[in-house]
Amino acid sequence: MNKAIRHEIFTRWQNDNPNPKTELEYSTPFELLIAVLLSAQSTDVGVNKATRKLYPVANTPQAIIDLGIDTLKSYVKTIGLYNTKAENIIKTCNMLVELHNSIIPDNREALEALPGVGRKTANVVLNTAFGHPVMAVDTHIFRVGNRTKIAPGKNVLDVEKKLLKTIPKEFLVDAHHWMILHGRYVCTARKPKCGSCLIEDLCEFKEKTEIDSY
């Protein structure tokens, strides 16, 4: 995989979807942070169902604190690991109120200091809420990076570093969303839909399928 091929791959994705967005529903950086915290090992669809009920009632750190842990759990109980996630959300909201005047910080160190926020979650918030050119590598991006050979790596940090190094700068802010959507809907885990893939001729995956359903 060389520079010219990578450029063509991202050019095609950009032409097909000029303004890619996360499928998590949010209207503020705080709502995004909470949605991402809830999304670990869960689907965006499931998270959105919960937050559509939660956010009209409480969508600020203080409002979440005022709900209390038990009421918060009642809103997110349909989501996997909801007990731990709710506890982390309450702790995070307390830190945001006490240390950040209820404002979501736009730097990695402060974000990763929040309970339940790891590197991937911090990267999602930095990229999606604040437009930082960072890569949040989830299972979809890890798979696409390795399968296509855009950025092969043994672990998520390897793939993240290679993507940051090799993706042309003009595509970097949106690359996270293009790769997630590609992995979620086209380059799927079990049966990739190679027959309807925009980059099939550029991809280095050796076991291509002929499934055309998009």
Side-chain angles (χ1 to χ4, degrees):
M1 178 77 59
N2 60 39
K3 184 177 180 180
I5 292 174
R6 286 191 183 90
H7 193 280
E8 177 61 20
I9 286 172
F10 284 95
T11 296
R12 291 185 189 181
W13 282 337
Q14 183 182 60
N15 289 340
D16 182 63
N17 186 5
N19 298 295
K21 305 293 182 186
T22 179
E23 293 187 321
L24 290 171
E25 296 173 359
Y26 74 98
S27 58
T28 66
F30 176 72
E31 288 186 359
L32 175 66
L33 173 62
I34 299 306
V36 179
L37 284 172
L38 290 171
S39 71
Q41 299 180 45
S42 304
T43 66
D44 289 359
V45 171
V47 172
N48 289 338
K49 286 181 180 179
T51 57
R52 283 173 197 159
K53 296 179 181 179
L54 172 64
Y55 290 159
V57 176
N59 70 340
T60 67
Q62 189 60 56
I64 295 283
I65 293 168
D66 292 342
L67 276 184
I69 187 69
D70 291 336
T71 303
L72 176 60
K73 285 181 180 180
S74 73
Y75 279 101
V76 301
K77 63 184 178 182
T78 55
I79 296 172
L81 306 174
Y82 76 93
N83 282 309
T84 300
K85 291 176 180 178
E87 290 168 3
N88 281 333
I89 286 170
I90 291 291
K91 292 175 184 176
T92 284
C93 287
N94 278 310
M95 286 185 66
L96 289 171
V97 170
E98 294 167 7
L99 301 178
H100 301 288
N101 197 30
S102 295
I103 296 172
I104 304 300
D106 67 349
N107 70 84
R108 180 186 304 285
E109 184 179 7
L111 284 169
E112 290 188 15
L114 299 171
V117 177
R119 184 178 183 87
K120 185 181 76 172
T121 297
N123 279 341
V124 171
V125 174
L126 290 170
N127 176 259
T128 304
F130 300 114
H132 291 213
V134 295
M135 288 296 302
V137 179
D138 68 350
T139 55
H140 296 301
I141 292 180
F142 183 77
R143 180 175 63 255
V144 171
N146 276 285
R147 186 183 275 169
T148 62
K149 300 296 187 290
I150 290 174
K154 294 181 179 180
N155 55 57
V156 293
L157 189 57
D158 279 348
V159 172
E160 178 186 333
K161 289 179 178 178
K162 286 186 179 179
L163 288 170
L164 291 173
K165 183 178 180 180
T166 59
I167 293 174
K169 289 184 179 180
E170 65 264 35
F171 302 118
L172 201 48
V173 170
D174 290 325
H176 165 75
H177 297 303
W178 286 320
M179 292 187 73
I180 281 182
L181 293 170
H182 188 70
R184 186 172 288 166
Y185 296 111
V186 183
C187 197
T188 50
R190 293 184 180 180
K191 293 182 179 179
K193 301 169 184 175
C194 301
S196 57
C197 174
L198 283 174
I199 63 166
E200 182 184 11
D201 58 317
L202 305 174
C203 167
E204 296 181 16
F205 183 45
K206 294 180 180 179
E207 301 172 18
K208 289 191 172 78
T209 69
E210 294 303 322
I211 298 174
D212 291 320
S213 58
Y214 197 93

